[in-house]
Each structure stands twice: as structure tokens, then as C-alpha cells.
Amino acid sequence: MPKKAAIVEHTAERLGIEMSQVVCVGDGANDLPMMALADLGVAYHAKPIVQARADAAINVTGLEGTLYALGYPALAPTE
């Protein structure tokens, strides 16, 4: 098993969460094995092959766009 996929699996096990609760974000072909393990694989400004195989793609915003897509409210500056 590729290293990143093994780390994702180990981390989920250590945290006591199911893989159905895991989201993986990647940009290159080396990220595909870990993204395949997760319930949701997100291509982030990724290579075409990753975008084609991912469940979702983010190309026009920062990484916080992933949180927004998952339903978290927009980050507001604190005063």
C-alpha cells in the first residue's frame, strides 16, 4: 500500500473514525491511492488525471474552499 494511503488508514484507525468519514485532498497521481480509500476525494488545483478520478475538484479558490464545500461557514476575521 502506498505510504500516504497507509497514513490515512492508520490515522483514521487511531482517531476511531470510519473511512466513510474521511476526506482526502490531493493534487498529483501519488495522491490517488489515499483518495480512493476516503469517502470523498478532492482534487485541489490538481493534475488532469487526478481531477478526472476525484469525487470533486477545487480550482478557483484556496484550500478553505474544501471546508466551504463541506458546509462550514465562510471564515470571518476576528475583531
Side-chain angles (χ1 to χ4, degrees):
M1 172 179 292
K3 187 69 171 176
K4 288 182 181 181
I7 291 169
V8 166
E9 208 168 45
H10 175 75
T11 301
E13 183 178 315
R14 193 181 82 229
L15 294 174
I17 61 175
E18 301 293 324
M19 292 306 291
S20 63
Q21 297 173 292
V22 174
V23 175
C24 285
V25 180
D27 66 347
N30 65 322
D31 296 319
L32 290 172
M34 75 167 179
M35 291 168 66
L37 285 178
D39 189 56
L40 179 65
V42 180
Y44 176 71
H45 294 278
K47 307 276 191 244
I49 191 167
V50 179
Q51 290 194 40
R53 294 188 186 174
D55 299 306
I58 295 177
N59 294 308
V60 295
T61 185
L63 198 52
E64 71 279 359
T66 304
L67 294 173
Y68 181 78
L70 291 172
Y72 287 86
L75 301 175
T78 57
E79 296 183 38

